[in-house]
C-alpha cells in the first residue's frame, strides 16, 4: 500500500516560511532563524572574523608572514574557506585588517593613558610612552606584528598607514592638551609623523636586542624625546609646550 507525499517541495516550503513572517500576530520566524544556539547571526559573523584575525596573529608570531596562508588560518580558526571569504578577499586583506585592528587598540590604550594621567604634560607624555610599550609587551604576538612589518608588501603598506594613523592621533591629542593656539595643522601632522615613525623603529630595534636598555630606560628616553622644547623640538613645532 502506497502513501501520498505530504511534504511540500523545498521551494514551496521556503515560500511558505517567508510568508509566515508577514502574518500579523505571528512570531518573527525569520528573526528566530537568524539566532542559533542563543547567538544572533551578526554576532556569529563577528566571532568568526575575530577567530580568523586571531589565528592569523598566532601564525605570524610562530612562523612569520609566510606561515599566514588561507588554509592555515582556516585550520587554526577551525572554520572552512567560505567563512574566510565572508570577510576577506585574500591573505593580504587579512594581514591589513590585522594591523589596522591592533593599531586601533593601541591608539585607544595610549590616548586613554594620557588622558587619565596627572594634568601636567610631563606625566601625560610619560604615561603615553609607557602605555605604548606596555601594549606591545602585553602580547608577544604584537611584537611579532611590529617586527614583521617590512616582510610583505601588504604589511609594509599597512605599516605606513599605521604610522599616519598614530601620528594623526598624537597630533590631535597634543592640540587637545595644549590650550595655546597651535601652528598649521599640516606642520603638526608632519612633526608627529617624524616622531612616530622614528619611535616605532627604535622600539623594534630594542625588541631585536640591538639596544641593551631596560623598559624603564626606553620609556624615559622616548618621553624625553617627545618633550624636547628647543627651537628644533618636534613637539614645539607641533604646538605642544610644557606647562611647567
Amino acid at each position: 500500500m502506497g502513501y501520498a507525499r505530504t511534504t511540500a517541495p523545498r521551494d514551496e516550503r521556503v515560500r511558505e516560511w517567508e510568508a509566515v513572517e508577514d502574518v500579523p500576530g505571528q512570531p518573527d520566524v525569520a528573526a528566530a532563524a537568524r539566532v542559533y544556539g542563543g547567538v544572533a547571526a551578526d554576532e556569529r559573523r563577528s566571532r568568526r572574523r575575530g577567530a580568523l584575525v586571531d589565528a592569523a596573529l598566532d601564525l605570524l608570531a610562530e612562523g612569520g608572514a609566510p606561515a599566514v596562508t588561507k588554509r592555515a588560518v582556516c585550520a587554526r580558526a577551525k572554520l572552512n574557506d567560505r567563512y574566510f571569504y565572508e570577510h576577506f578577499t585574500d591573505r593580504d586583506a587579512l594581514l591589513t585588517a590585522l594591523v589596522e585592528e591592533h593599531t586601533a587598540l593601541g591608539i585607544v590604550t595610549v590616548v586613554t593613558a594620557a588622558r587619565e594621567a596627572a594634568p601636567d604634560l610631563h606625566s601625560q607624555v610619560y604615561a603615553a610612552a609607557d602605555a605604548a610599550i606596555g601594549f606591545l609587551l602585553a602580547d608577544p604576538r604584537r611584537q611579532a606584528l611590529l617586527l614583521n612589518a617590512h616582510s610583505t608588501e601588504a604589511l609594509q603598506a599597512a605599516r605606513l598607514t599605521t604610522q599616519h594613523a598614530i601620528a594623526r592621533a598624537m597630533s590631535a591629542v597634543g592640540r587637545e592638551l595644549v590650550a595655546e593656539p597651535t601652528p598649521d595643522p599640516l606642520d603638526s601632522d608632519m612633526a608627529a609623523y617624524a616622531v612616530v615613525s622614528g619611535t616605532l623603529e627604535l622600539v623594534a630595534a630594542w625588541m631585536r636586542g640591538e639596544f641593551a636598555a631596560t623598559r624603564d630606560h626606553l620609556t624615559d628616553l622616548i618621553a624625553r624625546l617627545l618633550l624636547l622644547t628647543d627651537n628644533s623640538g618636534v613637539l614645539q613645532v607641533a604646538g605642544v609646550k610644557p606647562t611647567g
Side-chain angles (χ1 to χ4, degrees):
M1 181 176 176
Y3 293 91
R5 180 186 177 116
T6 58
T7 303
R10 181 178 181 279
D11 288 346
E12 291 181 15
R13 295 200 306 273
V14 170
R15 285 195 293 272
E16 290 170 359
W17 177 276
E18 291 173 342
V20 171
E21 62 181 303
D22 295 326
V23 177
Q26 292 293 324
D28 187 349
V29 292
R34 290 193 292 270
V35 177
Y36 179 81
V39 182
D42 287 346
E43 176 63 19
R44 294 199 303 275
R45 280 193 292 272
S46 178
R47 290 182 182 182
R48 288 194 293 266
R49 188 182 191 282
L52 291 167
V53 171
D54 202 54
L57 188 57
D58 278 345
L59 293 165
L60 183 72
E62 293 168 8
V68 184
T69 64
K70 181 197 68 177
R71 178 173 296 181
V73 167
C74 290
R76 179 65 61 93
K78 296 182 173 58
L79 294 170
N80 63 39
D81 290 3
R82 78 182 181 90
Y83 291 124
F84 181 95
Y85 291 116
E86 179 182 40
H87 300 286
F88 308 106
T89 54
D90 53 26
R91 184 190 78 147
D92 285 350
L94 171 58
L95 289 172
T96 299
L98 176 61
V99 174
E100 290 175 347
E101 289 192 12
H102 281 268
T103 297
L105 288 172
I107 289 174
V108 169
T109 298
V110 171
V111 171
T112 300
R115 288 175 174 165
E116 292 180 350
D120 64 275
L121 194 60
H122 183 276
S123 296
Q124 292 164 338
V125 169
Y126 189 91
D130 186 61
I133 295 174
F135 177 77
L136 291 169
L137 296 182
D139 187 341
R141 300 176 305 168
R142 293 172 184 157
Q143 300 170 44
L145 190 57
L146 176 61
L147 295 175
N148 281 276
H150 298 277
S151 59
T152 73
E153 288 186 8
L155 286 173
Q156 172 75 0
R159 181 185 71 87
L160 293 175
T161 300
T162 290
Q163 290 178 176
H164 281 289
I166 297 173
R168 286 193 298 271
M170 174 184 169
S171 182
V173 171
R175 289 192 288 266
E176 175 186 314
L177 296 176
V178 177
E180 300 176 23
T182 59
D184 186 340
L186 177 60
D187 289 347
S188 175
D189 290 344
M190 289 193 297
Y193 184 83
V195 171
V196 167
S197 56
T199 298
L200 286 174
E201 291 300 325
L202 172 61
V203 172
W206 176 70
M207 289 180 172
R208 289 192 296 266
E210 296 175 22
F211 296 103
T214 64
R215 172 186 170 174
D216 287 345
H217 185 175
L218 180 65
T219 301
D220 184 64
L221 175 66
I222 291 172
R224 284 189 284 117
L225 288 172
L226 292 172
L227 286 165
L228 285 173
T229 55
D230 61 8
N231 290 334
S232 62
V234 172
L235 289 181
Q236 188 174 44
V237 172
V240 179
K241 299 179 182 179
T243 56

